[in-house]
Amino acid sequence: MTSDPTLDSVGEPERRPTLTPRELEILRLWLRSESKTVAASDLGISLGTINTHLIRIRAKYAAAGRPVADKSGLLVRALQDGLVSLAEL
């Protein structure tokens, strides 16, 4: 494994999706929340809007070659990419 944080374990450039500020806000809140419903309520938006943003976030990770299927996968990616810290959770 390389020590360069911009390279993955086989020396390839790390592919990180570019998330919008709103996607980051929703991702962080959802990861800290007990459910999508709680996150939606806290943000004053619909559950459908939360789902739409999460679908787009997952699509961006998939397009970057780093697909995720569920909340735990998104948590791992967010931690790897420095989008959230364990202290925030």
Side-chain angles (χ1 to χ4, degrees):
M1 183 178 248
T2 182
S3 62
D4 185 338
T6 62
L7 299 178
D8 67 13
S9 61
V10 293
E12 294 293 320
E14 193 68 38
R15 295 178 305 258
R16 295 182 180 161
T18 302
L19 303 181
T20 67
R22 187 63 165 170
E23 288 169 340
L24 287 170
E25 177 184 26
I26 288 171
L27 178 62
R28 288 179 179 130
L29 182 60
W30 178 59
L31 290 173
R32 291 190 309 262
S33 297
E34 292 181 24
S35 69
K36 292 177 190 175
T37 305
V38 171
S41 176
D42 288 351
L43 288 170
I45 60 177
S46 73
L47 180 59
T49 301
I50 291 282
N51 285 329
T52 296
H53 281 289
L54 293 173
I55 288 167
R56 289 180 182 157
I57 292 166
R58 285 187 181 105
K60 287 181 177 185
Y61 270 105
R66 300 169 67 210
V68 292
D70 55 22
K71 187 174 188 174
S72 61
L74 277 173
L75 173 60
V76 169
R77 294 292 188 233
L79 287 167
Q80 289 171 336
D81 293 345
L83 303 177
V84 296
S85 69
L86 289 177
E88 296 180 69
L89 304 172

Coordinates of all heavy atoms in Angstrom, one line a residue:
M1 N 0.8 -1.2 0.0 CA 0.0 0.0 0.0 C 0.9 1.2 0.0 O 1.9 1.3 0.7 CB -0.9 0.0 1.2 CG -1.9 1.2 1.3 SD -3.0 1.1 2.6 CE -4.5 0.8 1.8
T2 N 0.5 2.2 -0.8 CA 1.3 3.4 -0.9 C 0.9 4.4 0.2 O -0.2 4.4 0.8 CB 1.0 4.1 -2.2 OG1 1.8 5.2 -2.3 CG2 -0.4 4.5 -2.4
S3 N 1.8 5.3 0.6 CA 1.6 6.3 1.6 C 1.0 7.6 1.0 O 0.7 8.5 1.8 CB 2.9 6.6 2.4 OG 3.8 7.1 1.5
D4 N 1.0 7.7 -0.3 CA 0.4 8.9 -0.9 C -1.1 8.9 -0.8 O -1.7 8.0 -1.4 CB 0.8 9.0 -2.4 CG 0.4 10.2 -3.1 OD1 -0.5 10.9 -2.6 OD2 1.0 10.5 -4.1
P5 N -1.7 9.8 -0.1 CA -3.2 9.8 0.1 C -4.0 10.0 -1.2 O -5.2 9.8 -1.2 CB -3.4 10.9 1.1 CG -2.3 11.9 0.9 CD -1.1 11.0 0.5
T6 N -3.3 10.5 -2.3 CA -4.1 10.7 -3.5 C -4.0 9.4 -4.4 O -4.6 9.4 -5.5 CB -3.5 11.9 -4.3 OG1 -2.1 11.6 -4.6 CG2 -3.6 13.2 -3.5
L7 N -3.3 8.4 -3.9 CA -3.3 7.1 -4.7 C -4.0 6.0 -3.9 O -3.9 6.0 -2.7 CB -1.8 6.7 -5.0 CG -1.0 7.7 -5.8 CD1 0.4 7.2 -5.9 CD2 -1.6 8.0 -7.1
D8 N -4.6 5.1 -4.6 CA -5.2 4.0 -4.0 C -4.2 2.9 -3.7 O -3.0 3.1 -3.9 CB -6.4 3.4 -4.8 CG -6.0 2.8 -6.1 OD1 -4.8 2.5 -6.3 OD2 -6.9 2.5 -6.9
S9 N -4.6 1.7 -3.2 CA -3.7 0.7 -2.8 C -2.9 0.1 -3.9 O -1.9 -0.6 -3.6 CB -4.5 -0.4 -2.0 OG -5.4 -1.0 -2.9
V10 N -3.3 0.3 -5.1 CA -2.5 -0.3 -6.3 C -1.8 0.8 -7.0 O -1.3 0.6 -8.1 CB -3.3 -1.2 -7.2 CG1 -3.8 -2.4 -6.5 CG2 -4.5 -0.4 -7.8
G11 N -1.7 2.0 -6.4 CA -1.0 3.1 -7.1 C -1.8 3.9 -8.1 O -1.2 4.8 -8.8
E12 N -3.1 3.6 -8.2 CA -3.9 4.4 -9.2 C -4.4 5.7 -8.5 O -4.6 5.7 -7.3 CB -5.1 3.5 -9.6 CG -4.7 2.3 -10.4 CD -4.1 2.7 -11.8 OE1 -4.6 3.6 -12.4 OE2 -3.2 2.0 -12.2
P13 N -4.6 6.7 -9.3 CA -5.2 7.9 -8.7 C -6.5 7.6 -8.0 O -7.4 6.9 -8.6 CB -5.4 8.9 -9.8 CG -4.5 8.3 -10.9 CD -4.4 6.9 -10.7
E14 N -6.7 8.1 -6.8 CA -8.0 8.0 -6.1 C -9.1 8.8 -6.8 O -8.9 9.9 -7.2 CB -7.8 8.5 -4.7 CG -8.9 8.2 -3.7 CD -9.0 6.7 -3.4 OE1 -8.0 6.1 -3.2 OE2 -10.1 6.2 -3.3
R15 N -10.2 8.1 -7.2 CA -11.3 8.8 -7.9 C -12.4 9.2 -6.9 O -13.0 8.3 -6.3 CB -11.8 7.9 -9.0 CG -10.8 7.6 -10.0 CD -11.3 6.7 -11.1 NE -11.8 5.4 -10.5 CZ -11.1 4.3 -10.5 NH1 -10.0 4.2 -11.1 NH2 -11.6 3.2 -9.9
R16 N -12.5 10.5 -6.6 CA -13.5 10.9 -5.7 C -14.5 11.7 -6.4 O -14.2 12.6 -7.2 CB -12.8 11.8 -4.6 CG -11.9 11.1 -3.8 CD -11.3 11.9 -2.7 NE -10.4 11.1 -1.9 CZ -9.4 11.6 -1.2 NH1 -9.2 12.9 -1.1 NH2 -8.7 10.8 -0.5
P17 N -15.8 11.4 -6.2 CA -16.8 12.2 -6.8 C -16.9 13.6 -6.3 O -16.5 13.9 -5.1 CB -18.1 11.4 -6.5 CG -17.8 10.7 -5.2 CD -16.3 10.4 -5.3
T18 N -17.3 14.5 -7.1 CA -17.5 15.9 -6.7 C -19.0 16.0 -6.3 O -19.9 15.9 -7.1 CB -17.2 16.9 -7.8 OG1 -15.9 16.7 -8.2 CG2 -17.4 18.3 -7.4
L19 N -19.2 16.2 -5.0 CA -20.5 16.4 -4.4 C -20.8 17.9 -4.3 O -20.0 18.6 -3.9 CB -20.7 15.7 -3.1 CG -20.4 14.2 -3.1 CD1 -20.6 13.6 -1.7 CD2 -21.2 13.4 -4.1
T20 N -22.1 18.2 -4.5 CA -22.5 19.6 -4.3 C -22.6 19.9 -2.8 O -22.6 19.0 -2.0 CB -23.9 19.9 -4.9 OG1 -24.9 19.1 -4.2 CG2 -23.9 19.5 -6.4
P21 N -22.5 21.2 -2.4 CA -22.7 21.5 -1.0 C -24.0 20.9 -0.4 O -23.9 20.5 0.7 CB -22.7 23.0 -1.0 CG -21.9 23.4 -2.2 CD -22.2 22.4 -3.2
R22 N -25.1 20.9 -1.1 CA -26.3 20.4 -0.6 C -26.2 18.9 -0.5 O -26.7 18.3 0.5 CB -27.5 20.7 -1.6 CG -28.8 20.3 -1.0 CD -29.2 21.1 0.3 NE -30.6 20.9 0.6 CZ -31.2 21.3 1.7 NH1 -30.4 21.8 2.6 NH2 -32.4 21.1 1.9
E23 N -25.6 18.2 -1.4 CA -25.4 16.7 -1.3 C -24.5 16.4 -0.1 O -24.8 15.5 0.7 CB -24.7 16.2 -2.5 CG -25.7 16.1 -3.7 CD -25.0 15.8 -5.0 OE1 -23.7 16.0 -5.1 OE2 -25.7 15.4 -6.0
L24 N -23.5 17.2 0.2 CA -22.7 17.0 1.4 C -23.4 17.2 2.6 O -23.3 16.5 3.6 CB -21.4 18.0 1.3 CG -20.4 17.6 0.3 CD1 -19.4 18.8 0.2 CD2 -19.7 16.3 0.7
E25 N -24.3 18.3 2.7 CA -25.1 18.6 3.8 C -26.0 17.4 4.1 O -26.1 16.9 5.3 CB -25.9 19.8 3.6 CG -26.8 20.2 4.7 CD -27.7 21.4 4.4 OE1 -27.9 21.7 3.2 OE2 -28.1 22.1 5.4
I26 N -26.7 16.9 3.1 CA -27.6 15.8 3.3 C -26.9 14.5 3.7 O -27.4 13.8 4.6 CB -28.5 15.6 2.0 CG1 -29.5 16.8 1.9 CG2 -29.2 14.3 2.0 CD1 -30.2 16.9 0.6
L27 N -25.8 14.2 3.0 CA -25.1 13.0 3.4 C -24.6 13.1 4.8 O -24.8 12.1 5.5 CB -23.8 12.9 2.4 CG -22.9 11.7 2.7 CD1 -23.7 10.4 2.5 CD2 -21.7 11.8 1.8
R28 N -24.0 14.2 5.2 CA -23.5 14.3 6.6 C -24.7 14.1 7.6 O -24.6 13.4 8.6 CB -22.8 15.6 6.8 CG -21.5 15.7 6.2 CD -20.8 17.0 6.4 NE -19.5 17.1 5.8 CZ -19.1 18.0 5.0 NH1 -19.9 19.1 4.7 NH2 -17.9 18.0 4.4
L29 N -25.8 14.8 7.4 CA -26.9 14.8 8.3 C -27.5 13.3 8.4 O -27.8 12.8 9.4 CB -28.0 15.8 8.0 CG -29.2 15.8 8.9 CD1 -28.7 16.1 10.3 CD2 -30.2 16.8 8.4
W30 N -27.7 12.7 7.2 CA -28.2 11.4 7.1 C -27.3 10.4 7.9 O -27.8 9.5 8.6 CB -28.5 11.0 5.7 CG -29.0 9.6 5.6 CD1 -30.1 9.1 6.1 CD2 -28.4 8.5 4.8 NE1 -30.3 7.8 5.7 CE2 -29.2 7.4 5.0 CE3 -27.2 8.4 4.1 CZ2 -28.9 6.2 4.4 CZ3 -26.9 7.2 3.5 CH2 -27.8 6.1 3.6
L31 N -26.0 10.5 7.7 CA -25.1 9.6 8.3 C -25.2 9.7 9.9 O -24.9 8.8 10.6 CB -23.7 9.8 7.8 CG -23.4 9.4 6.4 CD1 -22.0 9.8 6.0 CD2 -23.6 7.9 6.2
R32 N -25.5 10.9 10.4 CA -25.6 11.2 11.8 C -27.0 10.8 12.3 O -27.2 10.7 13.5 CB -25.2 12.6 12.1 CG -23.8 12.9 11.9 CD -23.4 14.3 12.5 NE -24.3 15.4 12.1 CZ -24.1 16.2 11.1 NH1 -22.9 16.1 10.4 NH2 -24.9 17.2 10.8
S33 N -28.0 10.7 11.4 CA -29.3 10.5 11.9 C -29.7 9.0 12.0 O -29.0 8.2 11.4 CB -30.3 11.1 10.8 OG -30.1 12.5 10.7
E34 N -30.8 8.8 12.7 CA -31.2 7.4 12.8 C -31.9 6.9 11.6 O -32.0 5.7 11.3 CB -32.2 7.3 14.0 CG -31.5 7.6 15.3 CD -32.5 7.4 16.5 OE1 -33.5 6.7 16.4 OE2 -32.2 8.0 17.5
S35 N -32.4 7.8 10.8 CA -33.2 7.4 9.6 C -33.2 8.6 8.6 O -32.9 9.7 8.9 CB -34.6 7.0 9.9 OG -35.3 8.1 10.3
K36 N -33.7 8.2 7.4 CA -33.9 9.2 6.3 C -35.0 10.2 6.7 O -35.0 11.4 6.5 CB -34.2 8.6 5.0 CG -33.1 7.8 4.4 CD -33.6 7.1 3.1 CE -32.5 6.2 2.6 NZ -33.0 5.4 1.4
T37 N -36.0 9.6 7.4 CA -37.2 10.4 7.8 C -36.7 11.5 8.8 O -37.2 12.6 8.7 CB -38.2 9.5 8.5 OG1 -38.6 8.5 7.5 CG2 -39.5 10.3 8.9
V38 N -35.9 11.1 9.7 CA -35.4 12.1 10.7 C -34.5 13.2 10.0 O -34.7 14.3 10.3 CB -34.5 11.4 11.8 CG1 -33.8 12.4 12.7 CG2 -35.4 10.5 12.7
A39 N -33.7 12.7 9.1 CA -32.9 13.7 8.3 C -33.8 14.7 7.5 O -33.5 15.9 7.5 CB -31.9 13.0 7.4
A40 N -34.8 14.1 6.9 CA -35.7 15.0 6.1 C -36.4 16.0 7.0 O -36.5 17.2 6.7 CB -36.7 14.1 5.4
S41 N -36.8 15.5 8.2 CA -37.5 16.4 9.1 C -36.6 17.5 9.6 O -37.0 18.7 9.7 CB -38.0 15.6 10.3 OG -38.6 16.4 11.3
D42 N -35.4 17.1 9.9 CA -34.4 18.1 10.4 C -34.1 19.2 9.4 O -33.8 20.3 9.7 CB -33.1 17.4 10.9 CG -33.2 16.6 12.1 OD1 -34.3 16.7 12.8 OD2 -32.3 15.9 12.5
L43 N -34.1 18.8 8.1 CA -33.8 19.8 7.0 C -35.0 20.5 6.5 O -34.9 21.4 5.7 CB -33.1 19.0 5.9 CG -31.6 18.6 6.2 CD1 -31.1 17.7 5.0 CD2 -30.8 19.8 6.3
G44 N -36.2 20.0 6.9 CA -37.5 20.6 6.4 C -37.7 20.3 5.0 O -38.3 21.1 4.3
I45 N -37.3 19.1 4.5 CA -37.5 18.6 3.2 C -38.2 17.3 3.2 O -38.3 16.7 4.2 CB -36.2 18.6 2.3 CG1 -35.2 17.6 3.0 CG2 -35.6 20.0 2.2 CD1 -33.9 17.4 2.2
S46 N -38.7 16.9 2.0 CA -39.4 15.6 2.0 C -38.5 14.4 1.9 O -37.3 14.5 1.6 CB -40.3 15.6 0.7 OG -39.5 15.4 -0.5
L47 N -39.0 13.3 2.3 CA -38.3 12.0 2.2 C -37.8 11.7 0.8 O -36.7 11.3 0.5 CB -39.1 10.9 2.8 CG -38.5 9.5 2.8 CD1 -37.2 9.5 3.6 CD2 -39.4 8.5 3.4
G48 N -38.7 12.1 -0.1 CA -38.4 11.9 -1.6 C -37.1 12.7 -2.0 O -36.3 12.2 -2.8
T49 N -37.0 13.9 -1.4 CA -35.9 14.7 -1.8 C -34.6 14.1 -1.2 O -33.5 14.1 -1.8 CB -36.1 16.2 -1.2 OG1 -37.2 16.7 -1.9 CG2 -34.9 17.1 -1.6
I50 N -34.7 13.6 0.0 CA -33.5 12.9 0.6 C -33.1 11.8 -0.3 O -31.9 11.6 -0.6 CB -33.8 12.4 2.0 CG1 -34.0 13.6 3.0 CG2 -32.8 11.4 2.5 CD1 -32.7 14.2 3.5
N51 N -34.1 10.9 -0.7 CA -33.8 9.8 -1.5 C -33.2 10.2 -2.8 O -32.3 9.5 -3.3 CB -35.1 9.0 -1.7 CG -35.5 8.2 -0.5 OD1 -34.6 7.8 0.3 ND2 -36.8 8.0 -0.3
T52 N -33.7 11.3 -3.4 CA -33.2 11.7 -4.7 C -31.7 12.1 -4.6 O -30.8 11.7 -5.4 CB -34.0 12.9 -5.3 OG1 -35.3 12.5 -5.5 CG2 -33.3 13.5 -6.5
H53 N -31.4 12.8 -3.5 CA -30.0 13.2 -3.3 C -29.1 12.0 -3.1 O -28.0 11.9 -3.6 CB -29.9 14.2 -2.1 CG -30.2 15.6 -2.5 ND1 -29.4 16.4 -3.3 CD2 -31.3 16.4 -2.1 CE1 -30.0 17.6 -3.4 NE2 -31.1 17.6 -2.7
L54 N -29.6 11.1 -2.3 CA -28.8 9.9 -2.0 C -28.6 9.0 -3.2 O -27.5 8.4 -3.4 CB -29.4 9.1 -0.8 CG -29.4 9.8 0.5 CD1 -30.2 8.9 1.5 CD2 -27.9 10.0 1.0
I55 N -29.6 9.0 -4.1 CA -29.4 8.2 -5.4 C -28.3 8.9 -6.2 O -27.5 8.2 -6.8 CB -30.8 8.2 -6.1 CG1 -31.7 7.2 -5.4 CG2 -30.6 7.8 -7.6 CD1 -33.2 7.3 -5.9
R56 N -28.4 10.2 -6.3 CA -27.3 11.0 -7.0 C -25.9 10.8 -6.5 O -25.0 10.6 -7.2 CB -27.7 12.4 -7.1 CG -28.9 12.7 -8.0 CD -29.3 14.2 -8.0 NE -30.5 14.3 -8.8 CZ -31.3 15.4 -8.7 NH1 -31.0 16.3 -7.9 NH2 -32.3 15.5 -9.5
I57 N -25.8 10.8 -5.1 CA -24.5 10.6 -4.5 C -24.0 9.2 -4.8 O -22.8 9.0 -5.2 CB -24.6 10.8 -3.0 CG1 -24.9 12.3 -2.6 CG2 -23.4 10.3 -2.2 CD1 -25.4 12.5 -1.2
R58 N -24.9 8.2 -4.7 CA -24.5 6.8 -5.0 C -24.1 6.7 -6.5 O -23.1 6.0 -6.9 CB -25.6 5.8 -4.7 CG -25.7 5.5 -3.3 CD -26.7 4.4 -3.0 NE -26.9 4.2 -1.6 CZ -28.0 4.5 -0.9 NH1 -29.0 5.2 -1.5 NH2 -28.1 4.3 0.3
A59 N -24.8 7.4 -7.4 CA -24.5 7.4 -8.8 C -23.1 8.0 -9.1 O -22.3 7.5 -9.9 CB -25.5 8.1 -9.6
K60 N -22.8 9.1 -8.4 CA -21.5 9.7 -8.5 C -20.4 8.8 -8.1 O -19.3 8.7 -8.7 CB -21.4 11.0 -7.8 CG -22.3 12.1 -8.4 CD -22.2 13.4 -7.7 CE -23.0 14.5 -8.4 NZ -22.8 15.8 -7.7
Y61 N -20.6 8.1 -7.0 CA -19.6 7.1 -6.5 C -19.4 6.0 -7.5 O -18.3 5.5 -7.8 CB -19.9 6.6 -5.1 CG -19.3 7.4 -4.0 CD1 -20.0 8.3 -3.2 CD2 -17.9 7.4 -3.8 CE1 -19.5 9.1 -2.3 CE2 -17.3 8.2 -2.8 CZ -18.1 9.0 -2.0 OH -17.5 9.8 -1.0
A62 N -20.5 5.5 -8.0 CA -20.4 4.4 -9.0 C -19.7 4.9 -10.3 O -18.9 4.2 -10.8 CB -21.9 4.0 -9.4
A63 N -20.0 6.1 -10.7 CA -19.3 6.7 -11.9 C -17.8 6.8 -11.7 O -17.0 6.7 -12.6 CB -19.9 8.0 -12.3
A64 N -17.4 7.0 -10.4 CA -16.0 7.1 -10.1 C -15.3 5.8 -9.8 O -14.2 5.7 -9.5 CB -15.8 8.0 -8.8
G65 N -16.1 4.7 -10.1 CA -15.6 3.3 -9.9 C -15.5 2.9 -8.5 O -14.8 1.9 -8.1
R66 N -16.3 3.5 -7.6 CA -16.3 3.2 -6.2 C -17.8 3.0 -5.7 O -18.3 3.8 -4.9 CB -15.6 4.3 -5.4 CG -14.2 4.4 -5.8 CD -13.6 5.7 -5.2 NE -13.5 5.6 -3.8 CZ -13.5 6.6 -2.9 NH1 -13.7 7.8 -3.4 NH2 -13.4 6.4 -1.6
P67 N -18.5 2.0 -6.3 CA -19.9 1.9 -6.0 C -20.2 1.6 -4.5 O -19.4 1.0 -3.8 CB -20.4 0.8 -6.9 CG -19.1 0.0 -7.1 CD -18.0 1.0 -7.1
V68 N -21.3 2.0 -4.0 CA -21.8 1.7 -2.7 C -23.3 1.3 -2.8 O -24.0 1.8 -3.6 CB -21.7 2.9 -1.7 CG1 -20.2 3.2 -1.5 CG2 -22.3 4.2 -2.2
A69 N -23.7 0.4 -1.9 CA -25.0 -0.1 -1.9 C -25.9 0.3 -0.8 O -27.1 0.3 -0.9 CB -25.0 -1.7 -2.0
D70 N -25.3 0.8 0.3 CA -26.1 1.1 1.5 C -25.5 2.1 2.3 O -24.4 2.7 2.0 CB -26.4 -0.2 2.3 CG -25.1 -0.9 2.7 OD1 -24.0 -0.3 2.7 OD2 -25.1 -2.1 2.9
K71 N -26.1 2.4 3.5 CA -25.6 3.5 4.4 C -24.2 3.2 4.9 O -23.4 4.1 5.0 CB -26.6 3.6 5.5 CG -26.3 4.8 6.4 CD -27.4 5.0 7.5 CE -27.2 6.3 8.2 NZ -28.3 6.6 9.2
S72 N -23.9 1.9 5.2 CA -22.6 1.6 5.8 C -21.5 1.9 4.7 O -20.5 2.3 5.0 CB -22.5 0.2 6.3 OG -22.8 -0.7 5.3
G73 N -21.9 1.5 3.4 CA -20.9 1.8 2.3 C -20.7 3.3 2.1 O -19.6 3.7 1.9
L74 N -21.7 4.1 2.2 CA -21.6 5.5 2.1 C -20.8 6.1 3.3 O -20.0 7.0 3.1 CB -22.9 6.2 2.0 CG -23.5 6.2 0.6 CD1 -24.9 6.8 0.6 CD2 -22.7 7.0 -0.4
L75 N -21.0 5.5 4.4 CA -20.2 6.0 5.6 C -18.7 5.7 5.4 O -17.9 6.6 5.6 CB -20.7 5.3 6.9 CG -19.9 5.5 8.1 CD1 -19.8 7.0 8.5 CD2 -20.4 4.7 9.3
V76 N -18.4 4.5 4.9 CA -17.0 4.2 4.7 C -16.4 5.1 3.6 O -15.3 5.7 3.8 CB -16.9 2.7 4.2 CG1 -15.5 2.4 3.7 CG2 -17.2 1.8 5.3
R77 N -17.1 5.4 2.5 CA -16.6 6.3 1.5 C -16.4 7.7 2.0 O -15.4 8.4 1.8 CB -17.5 6.3 0.3 CG -17.6 5.0 -0.5 CD -16.3 4.7 -1.2 NE -16.5 3.5 -2.0 CZ -15.7 2.5 -2.0 NH1 -14.7 2.4 -1.2 NH2 -15.9 1.5 -2.8
A78 N -17.4 8.2 2.8 CA -17.3 9.5 3.4 C -16.1 9.6 4.3 O -15.4 10.7 4.3 CB -18.6 9.9 4.1
L79 N -15.9 8.6 5.1 CA -14.7 8.6 6.0 C -13.4 8.6 5.2 O -12.5 9.3 5.5 CB -14.8 7.4 7.0 CG -15.8 7.5 8.1 CD1 -16.0 6.1 8.7 CD2 -15.4 8.6 9.1
Q80 N -13.4 7.7 4.2 CA -12.2 7.6 3.3 C -11.9 8.9 2.6 O -10.7 9.3 2.5 CB -12.4 6.5 2.2 CG -12.4 5.1 2.7 CD -12.8 4.1 1.6 OE1 -13.5 4.5 0.7 NE2 -12.4 2.9 1.8
D81 N -12.9 9.6 2.2 CA -12.7 10.9 1.5 C -12.6 12.1 2.4 O -12.6 13.2 1.9 CB -13.9 11.0 0.5 CG -13.8 10.0 -0.6 OD1 -12.8 9.3 -0.8 OD2 -14.8 9.8 -1.3
G82 N -12.7 11.9 3.7 CA -12.6 13.0 4.6 C -13.8 13.9 4.6 O -13.8 15.1 5.0
L83 N -15.0 13.4 4.2 CA -16.2 14.2 4.2 C -16.9 14.2 5.5 O -17.6 15.2 5.8 CB -17.2 13.6 3.1 CG -16.7 13.5 1.7 CD1 -17.7 12.9 0.8 CD2 -16.3 14.9 1.2
V84 N -16.6 13.2 6.4 CA -17.1 13.2 7.7 C -15.9 12.6 8.6 O -15.0 12.0 8.1 CB -18.3 12.3 8.0 CG1 -19.5 12.9 7.2 CG2 -18.1 10.9 7.6
S85 N -16.0 12.9 9.9 CA -15.0 12.3 10.8 C -15.8 11.5 11.8 O -17.0 11.7 12.0 CB -14.2 13.4 11.5 OG -15.0 14.1 12.4
L86 N -15.1 10.6 12.5 CA -15.7 9.8 13.5 C -16.2 10.7 14.6 O -17.2 10.4 15.3 CB -14.7 8.7 14.0 CG -14.4 7.6 13.1 CD1 -13.4 6.6 13.7 CD2 -15.7 6.8 12.7
A87 N -15.5 11.7 14.9 CA -15.9 12.7 16.0 C -17.2 13.3 15.7 O -18.0 13.6 16.6 CB -14.8 13.7 16.1
E88 N -17.6 13.5 14.4 CA -18.9 14.1 14.1 C -20.0 13.1 14.3 O -21.2 13.5 14.4 CB -19.0 14.4 12.6 CG -18.0 15.5 12.1 CD -18.2 15.7 10.6 OE1 -19.3 16.2 10.2 OE2 -17.3 15.3 9.8
L89 N -19.7 11.8 14.2 CA -20.8 10.8 14.3 C -21.1 10.5 15.7 O -22.1 10.2 16.1 CB -20.3 9.6 13.5 CG -19.9 9.8 12.1 CD1 -19.3 8.5 11.5 CD2 -21.1 10.3 11.2

